[in-house]
Amino acid sequence: MNELAAVVAAETASSCLDYVLLKEMNQLTQKRYADMADFVKGLQPQMEDLLVCQEAAEPVLEAIAKLEQNMTAIESAVLHLERESKQIMQQLGLAKDGSS
């Protein structure tokens, strides 16, 4: 009977140690998640600042895109005018031959 009592006591002690270990792991996990939640809360104001900056930059970015489109159109028009003027100068016999 003593042996049976010793086995039961050992099993109980082992189960108790497992429970204590599990409890400590749960507490550490809970602390880790709490730390992550605090970290995310700390990021919130920075995220809001970034959104404000992005909203402020949108009109400028749109204006830059529009300027790029306008520049492309102007470059195209200049090339067209150069071709036309060369053609007109050739028709009038005023083409530059490089011997000025």
Side-chain angles (χ1 to χ4, degrees), residues 38-52:
D38 290 342
F39 179 75
V40 169
K41 285 179 187 174
L43 290 177
Q44 180 122 12
Q46 295 167 347
M47 293 289 291
E48 291 171 358
D49 290 347
L50 284 174
L51 286 174
V52 168

Side-chain angles (χ1 to χ4, degrees), residues 54-70:
Q54 181 182 3
E55 290 172 0
E58 284 297 323
V60 174
L61 294 173
E62 289 173 7
I64 290 171
K66 197 174 255 185
L67 281 173
E68 288 177 345
Q69 291 174 346
N70 290 341

